[in-house]
Amino acid sequence: MTSKPATIDDVARRAGVSIATVSRALQKPNIVSDSAREKVFEAVEELGYTANVMARNLRRNRTNMAVVLVPNIGNPFFSEILAGIESAASARNYNILIGDTENDPAREREYAAFVRGHQADGLILLNGRLPSLPGDRRDGANLQTSAMPPIVVACERIPESALPTVCFDNTGGARSATAYLIRMGHRRIAHITGPPDNILTQDRLAGYQAALGDAKIPLDENLIIEGDFSIESGRAAIRLLGALGEFPTAVFCANDEMAIGAIAAIKAAGKRVPEDVSVIGFDDIQFADAVDPPLTTVHQPRAEIGQTAMNLLLDVLDGNPIAQKTRVLDGGLRKRDSVAPPRA
Amino acid sequence: MTSKPATIDDVARRAGVSIATVSRALQKPNIVSDSAREKVFEAVEELGYTANVMARNLRRNRTNMAVVLVPNIGNPFFSEILAGIESAASARNYNILIGDTENDPAREREYAAFVRGHQADGLILLNGRLPSLPGDRRDGANLQTSAMPPIVVACERIPESALPTVCFDNTGGARSATAYLIRMGHRRIAHITGPPDNILTQDRLAGYQAALGDAKIPLDENLIIEGDFSIESGRAAIRLLGALGEFPTAVFCANDEMAIGAIAAIKAAGKRVPEDVSVIGFDDIQFADAVDPPLTTVHQPRAEIGQTAMNLLLDVLDGNPIAQKTRVLDGGLRKRDSVAPPRA
DNA sequence: ATCAAAAATGAAAAGGTTTACATTCCGCTC
DNA sequence: GAGCGGAATGTAAACCTTTTCATTTTTGAT
């Protein structure tokens, strides 16, 4: 007994008014007479009418939907950013489509096509890579041109582009984390990095190096180990460090997962955290507080990053003037129990 | 210099064919002559044409999009399920819209309106609560009726409904986890539950009780503590247990987060895991392996759950006959290092 | 060369809204 | 009571596809 859903025509007929009046009664109730409004609402109620959003979008050429490209939903780091985006979007009557790209360019293109195909009004990039839109002519320099939809970049910055960006002060965070270790008396401080081509990796590494420079500690290349942001790579890095000979007295990891892996490996090697080696992470994910010992880490205001990004995008979409194209937020060091002075 | 995007008319004009031919060339390239196809593709390329999906959807009355309602994206447990859903959807040319409801019925309704308003073809529920669709007439019994869109429930089951469901054998999993503790020699086994109105909580509690019954161990109500699936509630439960007097020798937690919290609290109380008290979790989230000690837990085939659910939904949407409306998957116990025999 | 069948194409309708523009209605003022 | 202005309403176009149905072209057999 599945009947076709009611259309605006049905409502108009039932209410004894024109479809224009129905549309107006629903969109801007105040510009319609009381009696008409009442009749329309009644008919809507009786028929269980819901406007066909596809038709509306087609006519309005706006979807109230934004795509968010996230490299990996499974990464707890992104969830809170997404939540922030969500709340800002919801507050301004927008919906978000989360595209989990798994760093697969094909996936990215697929989702980007959403905005190209008018299924979404704008794009928020959490991955720092600009998807190449199909059928899009771009010659390096002029990105946000003709066919390009409104785009906002969050979390990462895309060095060559002029896109609106909100990001965390990664270099500053890394610098103060490393400086903290130095203040505690450490000199042999290892750094486990993310993937080398990642801009976050580069910024955090730069911060680490800057702090060492500030303290006139010579850089020891052997203490910089490449990871990939995974727990396992944190483990592996520590094992590698162990195999190389002397352990450092402290390790600064480019994210919390690697720090957690590192702690596990340090314990497995029979040493204690923080008595034998201090560990510091980056991001302050949910589990940072739950590991043993609770992880000292650089806190990122993730919800705020998400909100700021979404509001930026909405401002662009609404044609509001945007004050500053790039906003840099910063957080602070969350001191817990994974850092201590080195042993005498 | 932002010009309007090219439409199918532009392509048709440029290619010197009718819009019908353009449409066909793009949809079903093989029913069009080679020459026409070539001309069309060329024109598309030159104009950078992308079909307006809103218009297409309106005409086809299908969006190739499904909404997934998840109670909390931040919960790492759901990420893998989402990934499974995503991969199955992607394989069959569908996209998913992830609706983070935060257990807020208003949010749920908002997202459900998507399918009501024809912005999505179907709905996957990860939260086990049926959103009330606006303007929807339902009288308890007959849920999936007239206006109801295709819905599939994953992870949880909704007892009163006849909706297609794929879920994990929660009772069985809890039972075998508890039985394992009993086999190890434990008799005083505490259980930290989830929120009492949650169906998962109920099923897992039932499994716990069944295992005790199997072993003829009398149920001790004092050993059943209510949690809410959060790390903190796991901590609190252990503190409560401690305050109550005797510690159990083992704790079965209704999820991994609470188990992680429990381990932290047990350590904080000066006892060791597993030597003094064994802990077992549920879900096998990513971090289960990274905590100290690595957590023994009930593994759920999350990706598979997601895939199965999505394929079920797609079968319904395609009108394929579906063999069995409800599928129960099961996993196994992941034995790590948080369980040991009780001390003599 | 003729014809039938098959293949390719085009014209036009349909899909459900919003909205520009035209019209009607109502209450005023003079 | 004519004229006017503003509010309320209706008509019809526009949004851009896909797809039905009719028409034309091609193919292949005779």
Side-chain angles (χ1 to χ4, degrees):
Chain A
M1 215 49 185
T2 296
S3 55
K4 278 179 180 278
T7 74
I8 199 172
D9 281 292
D10 302 326
V11 176
R13 205 170 6 257
R14 181 134 188 164
V17 298
S18 77
I19 60 168
T21 301
V22 174
S23 177
R24 281 190 278 251
L26 295 172
Q27 299 306 317
K28 307 172 180 172
N30 45 320
I31 69 163
V32 113
S33 72
D34 291 358
S35 73
R37 188 175 344 113
E38 211 165 298
K39 280 186 294 183
V40 168
F41 283 170
E42 202 169 313
V44 165
E45 184 66 27
E46 287 170 3
L47 295 169
Y49 169 75
T50 322
N52 182 324
V53 188
M54 295 187 303
R56 172 197 318 232
N57 290 347
L58 172 58
R59 176 59 223 234
R60 285 213 190 134
N61 197 27
R62 178 149 184 180
T63 61
N64 276 33
M65 193 138 105
V67 171
V68 181
L69 251 38
V70 36
N72 175 13
I73 291 193
N75 186 332
F77 172 74
F78 289 110
S79 345
E80 239 180 280
I81 295 193
L82 288 174
I85 292 177
E86 237 282 341
S87 80
S90 172
R92 289 172 72 172
N93 204 18
Y94 251 73
N95 289 102
I96 63 169
L97 173 74
I98 299 170
D100 189 0
T101 66
E102 325 233 344
N103 277 318
D104 174 359
R107 274 303 200 33
E108 289 171 3
R109 240 174 295 125
E110 189 183 313
Y111 277 107
F114 256 74
V115 353
R116 202 84 206 318
H118 305 269
Q119 277 209 99
D121 303 332
L123 197 55
I124 293 184
L125 265 30
L126 258 38
N127 57 349
R129 180 169 41 228
L130 220 44
S132 65
L133 302 183
D136 197 34
R137 305 226 166 313
R138 269 182 296 159
D139 35 275
N142 57 338
L143 286 163
Q144 179 107 8
T145 57
S146 61
M148 284 295 277
I151 295 183
V152 167
V153 181
C155 299
E156 309 202 4
R157 57 192 177 78
I158 305 184
E160 332 75 61
S161 95
L163 295 173
T165 300
V166 19
C167 62
F168 181 73
D169 181 8
N170 286 290
T171 307
R175 187 173 192 159
S176 64
T178 310
Y180 173 60
L181 291 172
I182 295 172
R183 271 206 311 284
M184 295 293 271
H186 293 276
R187 284 293 172 276
R188 285 183 53 74
I189 302 171
H191 178 42
I192 308 181
T193 75
D197 55 336
N198 187 301
I199 189 78
L200 298 180
T201 300
Q202 295 164 19
D203 286 351
R204 292 173 191 176
L205 175 60
Y208 162 80
Q209 292 171 330
L212 292 185
D214 291 343
K216 308 259 191 299
I217 299 177
L219 196 66
D220 181 349
E221 291 287 350
N222 290 326
L223 291 179
I224 301 179
I225 309 286
E226 180 183 325
D228 62 7
F229 286 148
S230 71
I231 295 178
E232 187 46 41
S233 78
R235 272 210 188 85
I238 292 297
R239 281 195 291 260
L240 182 58
L241 237 21
L244 248 54
E246 327 166 58
F247 252 53
T249 64
V251 185
F252 166 50
C253 304
N255 78 346
D256 286 347
E257 275 93 337
M258 293 196 299
I260 290 171
I263 290 177
I266 291 168
K267 286 181 182 171
K271 299 190 186 292
R272 286 171 310 162
V273 178
E275 292 82 354
D276 298 316
V277 17
S278 292
V279 175
I280 198 161
F282 207 109
D283 289 349
D284 194 17
I285 64 174
Q286 186 197 4
F287 285 93
D289 195 29
V291 294
D292 181 33
L295 185 66
T296 293
T297 185
V298 178
H299 176 79
Q300 289 202 49
R302 291 194 287 283
E304 194 187 343
I305 293 176
Q307 284 168 5
T308 310
M310 189 71 213
N311 280 321
L312 207 50
L313 178 63
L314 289 174
D315 284 343
V316 173
L317 287 173
D318 287 345
N320 298 349
I322 48 177
Q324 27 170 348
K325 283 203 121 183
T326 125
R327 313 207 182 156
V328 177
L329 307 176
D330 43 30
L333 201 56
R334 277 277 190 287
K335 294 178 187 167
R336 299 204 179 89
D337 308 329
S338 65
V339 173
R343 322 187 87 178
Chain B
M1 216 47 185
T2 295
S3 55
K4 279 180 179 274
T7 74
I8 200 172
D9 280 291
D10 302 326
V11 177
R13 203 167 11 254
R14 181 134 187 163
V17 297
S18 76
I19 59 168
T21 302
V22 174
S23 177
R24 282 189 279 253
L26 295 173
Q27 300 304 318
K28 306 172 180 174
N30 45 321
I31 70 163
V32 113
S33 73
D34 292 357
S35 73
R37 185 174 346 113
E38 213 164 295
K39 280 185 293 184
V40 168
F41 283 171
E42 203 169 312
V44 165
E45 182 66 27
E46 286 171 2
L47 295 169
Y49 168 75
T50 323
N52 182 324
V53 188
M54 295 187 303
R56 168 187 318 199
N57 290 347
L58 173 59
R59 177 59 226 235
R60 287 219 189 126
N61 197 28
R62 180 153 182 176
T63 61
N64 277 35
M65 190 137 105
V67 171
V68 181
L69 250 37
V70 36
N72 174 12
I73 290 194
N75 186 331
F77 172 74
F78 290 110
S79 346
E80 240 179 278
I81 294 191
L82 288 174
I85 291 177
E86 237 284 340
S87 81
S90 171
R92 289 171 72 172
N93 204 17
Y94 250 73
N95 290 103
I96 63 169
L97 174 73
I98 298 171
D100 189 358
T101 66
E102 325 234 342
N103 277 318
D104 175 358
R107 273 310 203 25
E108 289 171 3
R109 239 173 296 124
E110 188 183 315
Y111 277 107
F114 257 74
V115 354
R116 199 89 204 317
H118 305 270
Q119 275 209 100
D121 303 331
L123 197 55
I124 293 184
L125 264 29
L126 257 39
N127 58 348
R129 179 172 39 230
L130 220 43
S132 66
L133 301 183
D136 198 32
R137 306 225 166 307
R138 270 182 297 160
D139 35 275
N142 57 338
L143 287 164
Q144 178 106 15
T145 57
S146 62
M148 284 294 278
I151 294 183
V152 166
V153 181
C155 300
E156 309 202 3
R157 56 193 178 78
I158 304 183
E160 334 75 62
S161 95
L163 295 172
T165 299
V166 19
C167 62
F168 182 71
D169 181 7
N170 286 290
T171 306
R175 187 174 192 157
S176 63
T178 311
Y180 172 61
L181 291 173
I182 295 172
R183 271 206 312 284
M184 295 294 270
H186 294 277
R187 285 293 172 276
R188 285 184 53 74
I189 302 173
H191 178 41
I192 307 180
T193 74
D197 55 336
N198 186 300
I199 189 77
L200 298 180
T201 299
Q202 295 163 19
D203 286 352
R204 290 173 192 177
L205 176 59
Y208 163 77
Q209 292 171 330
L212 293 185
D214 291 343
K216 307 258 191 300
I217 298 178
L219 195 64
D220 181 349
E221 291 287 350
N222 290 326
L223 291 180
I224 300 180
I225 311 286
E226 179 183 324
D228 63 6
F229 287 148
S230 71
I231 295 179
E232 187 46 41
S233 78
R235 273 209 187 88
I238 292 298
R239 281 195 290 258
L240 182 58
L241 238 20
L244 250 53
E246 325 167 60
F247 251 53
T249 64
V251 184
F252 165 51
C253 304
N255 79 346
D256 285 346
E257 274 92 338
M258 295 196 296
I260 290 171
I263 289 176
I266 291 168
K267 287 180 181 172
K271 299 191 185 292
R272 286 171 309 162
V273 179
E275 292 82 355
D276 299 317
V277 16
S278 293
V279 174
I280 197 161
F282 207 110
D283 288 349
D284 194 16
I285 64 175
Q286 187 198 2
F287 286 93
D289 196 27
V291 294
D292 180 32
L295 185 67
T296 294
T297 185
V298 179
H299 176 79
Q300 289 202 50
R302 290 194 287 283
E304 194 187 343
I305 292 176
Q307 283 169 4
T308 310
M310 189 72 214
N311 280 320
L312 209 49
L313 177 64
L314 289 174
D315 284 343
V316 173
L317 287 172
D318 287 345
N320 297 349
I322 49 176
Q324 25 170 353
K325 282 203 121 183
T326 125
R327 315 209 182 154
V328 177
L329 307 176
D330 43 31
L333 202 57
R334 277 279 190 288
K335 294 179 188 166
R336 299 204 177 90
D337 306 329
S338 65
V339 173
R343 322 187 88 178

